[in-house]
Amino acid sequence: MQIQPFFRTIPWLLISLLATLAPQALGQVPAAAAGGWHSHAHPIVPLTRPIHYHHHHHHHHPRPPRLPRPVDQPVQVTGIDATIKVNDQLATTQLDIALRNPNRRQVESEILIPVPDGSVFRGFSFLGTSLEATAKILPRDEARRIYESIVAQTKDPALLEFVGTGVLQSSVFPVPPGGVQKVRVVFERLLPMDGVRMDYVLPRSETLDYRVPWNIKVNIKSTEPIASVYSPSHELTLNRLSDRELTASVSATTQPGAFQFSLMRQRGEGVTASLMAYPDPKIGGGYFLVLVAPPAEKNAAAAAPLRREVTIVLDRSGSMAGEKLEQVRAASYQILEGLNDGEAFNIIVYNESVEKFAPAPVVKNAETMRKARAYLAALRVSGGTNIHDAVVESLRQQPTEGTLPIVLFLTDGLPTIGQTSEKAIREAAAKGNPHKRRIFTFGVGVDVNTPLLSRLARESRATATYVLPKEDVEVKVGQVFKRLGGPELADPKIVVVDDFGNPVPARITDLLPGTLPDIYEGEQVVLLGKYIGENPLKFRLSGRDRSGQRSFDFAFKFDNATTSNAFVPRLWASNKIAVLTEAIRDLGADSGSFTNRPVPNNDPRVRELVDEIVRLSQEFGILTEYTAFLAEEGTNLADSFANRAQAGRMLRSRAQDARFGAAAANQEANLKQYREKKSLNRTNQYWDENLKSVEIAAVQQVNDRAYYKRGKLWVDSQVDRGAAAANTPDRVIEIGTPEFSQLVDKLAAGNRLGCFALKGELLLNVDGQSVLVK
């Protein structure tokens, strides 16, 4: 009998939609097969690739389940709406799954959904019909038996990705032809606690082939104040309703991988912090992520955040004429309105010369505001761009007592007047900033020196923002200023101390960001680094708030370090690549001028930076525009010499030489994303030099590994000899053999089963051996 190809999960929705003709029509009654799933139907796991059946059955399946007559096409999953309610420690997950039957006849189906082990079944229903059906949750051992019986029949290991989870299994139900049938599944689980932190995880497939659009809504209520909510897997849009309730959402995401978030509850008055760790024997410790959040609820004494003093520095050179000047003026009004009475401000405008609204910053009140509005209204444009003197003047001012001094620096052009060297302006800002002002820079349009604006911001604990053509200056400036609501802790520093408070060197290395940003109300800071040794770590976080110098001590143990925290090393590597790229970019300053030739590629400083970028990109599968060539079929991953040379050429022509225009704006946008994005970028999305979005499908970040596509093979980046090892691997393992079961156990123990969702043969590094899985 001829067997059709069938379609595989939305991987995590293992909707094993078991489909066939209505059994009544075949004159037969379904009987449950051995192995726990219903054999009168095909396991269809829709919405990725076909699963091919083999006609012959191996001798070690004494009684294979009977195959039904195939349906024309599998049932498809067209979308999922997830609603997650967290009440203190209890999380209730509701999934509304849209199913579409493209056939002309009814299809019998069964749903299998992997759920975290220990979940409790609460409901299974059909929306909009009177159909009755039931479901139950099976524990992980039974779930594994079901997955394995399906894999034995299909020879496709995709379901094994979910070994270790429980499974929610429905009874068989009909999906009518045409139209969309909605199914609702509800289950509950008590979230595991780790100190002040609780973690929520919803299993979903790791592979990029999984393209079902998801809408996720989260509602969190807590009897204690919520310090922060953070997702390493997806970018959340947060909305705080009170200090004890907030909502979060992710809309229309097709980013694969488990959906996870962590919730920190505030303890005591001060800053709350929590640590997640990933063990790595190569380091003699591992990687850590520390989440730091200011208090959600404040007592009266600490209620007032630091006051701000804001100096707005405006470019009024000729190129600002028209809409740009109007938007900048509107943005300035918005900032001044947003200051509280008692906070201070000044306005500095520049073209070839520099003028000030007031000799020194003034305190905001009705009178100073009236004058400031008149001053802004009278602004006219003309002349060139003297960035050097404008920066120097804004930083020289005597600051207002007891404030955090901030500069908002807006420009639309390259330095043309006075001292125009990028290096000289950088040095003037570094040396001439005695009051440690934060320089938030805004580049308007694409004719700005992006590395200069980024560097000025980065070195002063601020951020750079680029307003591209067609974007609104006022909106962008407003977003940044809103973030600067109330500084809770200025000049924060973190050190590792012993029990007596003395610094302990060498327990942590490669801490990112190198300079901690100020911590503002409602913000959280994510610190990443490597730790050495297994003993508990004691961090001391110090800084100043309204009442003066403060310090907070946190003790963290590594008992809960686990390889399932694979996002920790990957986020660290992404940040590290940004830092190394910025260093190369900084070495290219003034590359257009005659006096200063750029640093040659064989300079040991550059060589070292390029080597490290290539190594991290390859190992972690984090590809940037400079290393995207690693994904190409013809690139030999084992030829590190050629790959470093190629990356070096890209970094020279792009990172060093392209310093303004769209070809510089895109690099800044990418670097900002690698440095500031605290969730995974699994598709390796970046902006190219025409500011078009690019994604890379031939490299997949799966669990804590990266796999490169070479022909029909997926190669683990940790295989020493690269794809060539496939010709003479140390071991060959076939699906369905006893060795294969042992491999599954081994990968399950290391939280590395996601590779089975990749389509094709696998070349893995298992304990230093190259293993080909067929």
Side-chain angles (χ1 to χ4, degrees), residues 58 393 455 661:
H58 291 295
E393 280 302 314
R455 173 83 178 241

Side-chain angles (χ1 to χ4, degrees), residues 166-225:
V167 70
L168 188 148
Q169 178 184 35
S170 76
S171 56
V172 175
F173 62 90
V175 181
V180 171
Q181 163 81 60
K182 280 209 164 175
V183 179
R184 173 170 290 175
V185 174
V186 186
F187 56 92
E188 288 180 350
R189 181 167 189 246
L190 277 177
L191 297 182
M193 294 280 293
D194 182 348
V196 294
R197 196 186 80 244
M198 293 185 280
D199 299 320
Y200 175 95
V201 180
L202 182 62
R204 297 164 72 235
S205 177
E206 294 271 321
T207 175
L208 294 177
D209 293 337
Y210 175 44
R211 302 299 285 174
V212 177
W214 278 65
N215 290 306
I216 304 173
K217 288 198 163 60
V218 183
N219 179 273
I220 299 172
K221 287 186 177 148
S222 166
T223 45
E224 297 176 57

Side-chain angles (χ1 to χ4, degrees), residues 313 348 354 356 386-397 409 419 424-425 427-429 432-434 437 439:
V313 184
I348 294 180
V354 179
K356 292 177 174 174
N386 187 341
I387 287 181
H388 178 277
D389 293 2
V391 168
V392 169
E393 280 302 314
S394 67
L395 299 179
R396 264 191 5 180
Q397 313 174 87
F409 191 98
Q419 174 54 273
I425 296 173
E427 278 161 16
N433 191 0
R437 280 194 164 79
I439 311 170

Side-chain angles (χ1 to χ4, degrees), residues 296-367:
E297 177 189 58
K298 304 188 204 40
N299 65 5
L306 277 160
R307 294 198 322 247
R308 297 162 298 180
E309 174 206 276
V310 176
T311 302
I312 306 173
V313 184
L314 302 179
D315 182 340
R316 64 179 196 97
S317 60
S319 56
M320 287 290 290
E323 192 183 13
K324 278 191 203 166
L325 183 71
E326 287 316 309
Q327 289 185 353
V328 162
R329 189 176 290 161
S332 305
Y333 287 142
Q334 184 190 340
I335 290 163
L336 296 178
E337 297 296 344
L339 288 172
N340 301 318
D341 277 356
E343 293 188 305
F345 71 90
N346 201 356
I347 304 164
I348 294 180
V349 293
Y350 67 98
N351 46 17
E352 56 269 28
S353 61
V354 179
E355 292 174 17
K356 292 177 174 174
F357 163 69
V362 296
V363 171
K364 174 179 169 175
N365 56 36
E367 176 64 9

Side-chain angles (χ1 to χ4, degrees), residues 51-350:
I51 293 175
H52 291 282
Y53 281 78
H54 294 242
H55 294 286
H56 57 276
H57 292 294
H58 291 295
H59 55 268
H60 53 260
H61 296 304
R63 236 193 56 215
R66 263 171 321 128
L67 286 175
R69 256 178 54 204
V71 287
D72 305 327
Q73 292 179 63
V75 171
Q76 299 155 353
V77 176
T78 57
I80 295 171
D81 291 333
T83 309
I84 300 156
K85 293 199 158 106
V86 178
N87 221 322
D88 281 329
Q89 218 181 326
L90 182 69
T92 306
T93 303
Q94 171 184 302
L95 302 176
D96 290 349
I97 301 154
L99 306 176
R100 189 173 157 272
N101 172 7
N103 301 290
R104 277 186 286 190
R105 51 192 171 177
Q106 165 167 300
V107 171
E108 295 294 305
S109 308
E110 168 192 70
I111 281 186
L112 293 177
I113 298 179
V115 294
D117 204 34
S119 300
V120 179
F121 172 70
R122 280 288 171 254
F124 180 84
S125 56
F126 298 96
L127 303 182
T129 74
S130 57
L131 277 173
E132 292 286 319
T134 57
K136 57 184 185 294
I137 290 184
L138 304 173
R140 63 181 174 196
D141 296 344
E142 282 181 63
R144 178 169 178 171
R145 279 200 292 279
I146 292 181
Y147 302 154
E148 285 178 340
S149 66
I150 294 175
V151 170
Q153 189 185 316
T154 61
K155 297 287 165 280
D156 184 328
L159 302 193
L160 298 177
E161 176 175 18
F162 299 108
V163 164
T165 63
V167 70
L168 188 148
Q169 178 184 35
S170 76
S171 56
V172 175
F173 62 90
V175 181
V180 171
Q181 163 81 60
K182 280 209 164 175
V183 179
R184 173 170 290 175
V185 174
V186 186
F187 56 92
E188 288 180 350
R189 181 167 189 246
L190 277 177
L191 297 182
M193 294 280 293
D194 182 348
V196 294
R197 196 186 80 244
M198 293 185 280
D199 299 320
Y200 175 95
V201 180
L202 182 62
R204 297 164 72 235
S205 177
E206 294 271 321
T207 175
L208 294 177
D209 293 337
Y210 175 44
R211 302 299 285 174
V212 177
W214 278 65
N215 290 306
I216 304 173
K217 288 198 163 60
V218 183
N219 179 273
I220 299 172
K221 287 186 177 148
S222 166
T223 45
E224 297 176 57
I226 301 164
S228 97
V229 172
Y230 163 67
S231 169
S233 64
H234 291 76
E235 210 157 334
L236 297 178
T237 306
L238 290 174
N239 178 22
R240 195 178 265 280
L241 306 175
S242 74
D243 58 9
R244 288 170 169 76
E245 181 175 7
L246 54 77
T247 60
S249 60
V250 182
S251 53
T253 180
T254 52
Q255 161 110 309
F259 171 63
Q260 54 195 122
F261 64 84
S262 294
L263 152 71
M264 273 201 318
R265 301 206 277 191
Q266 182 183 331
R267 292 281 156 83
E269 289 303 325
V271 174
T272 307
S274 183
L275 173 135
M276 294 180 244
Y278 169 96
D280 186 348
K282 293 200 295 285
I283 298 173
Y287 296 86
F288 68 85
L289 179 156
V290 173
L291 198 54
V292 180
E297 177 189 58
K298 304 188 204 40
N299 65 5
L306 277 160
R307 294 198 322 247
R308 297 162 298 180
E309 174 206 276
V310 176
T311 302
I312 306 173
V313 184
L314 302 179
D315 182 340
R316 64 179 196 97
S317 60
S319 56
M320 287 290 290
E323 192 183 13
K324 278 191 203 166
L325 183 71
E326 287 316 309
Q327 289 185 353
V328 162
R329 189 176 290 161
S332 305
Y333 287 142
Q334 184 190 340
I335 290 163
L336 296 178
E337 297 296 344
L339 288 172
N340 301 318
D341 277 356
E343 293 188 305
F345 71 90
N346 201 356
I347 304 164
I348 294 180
V349 293
Y350 67 98

Side-chain angles (χ1 to χ4, degrees), residues 312-315 319-336 376 379 381 410-412 442-445 466-478:
I312 306 173
V313 184
L314 302 179
D315 182 340
S319 56
M320 287 290 290
E323 192 183 13
K324 278 191 203 166
L325 183 71
E326 287 316 309
Q327 289 185 353
V328 162
R329 189 176 290 161
S332 305
Y333 287 142
Q334 184 190 340
I335 290 163
L336 296 178
L376 287 168
L379 275 188
V381 299
L410 282 88
T411 180
D412 79 328
F442 296 86
V444 181
Y466 297 95
V467 187
L468 299 175
K470 299 200 183 61
E471 291 186 326
D472 189 330
V473 183
E474 190 184 350
V475 171
K476 281 277 181 98
V477 173

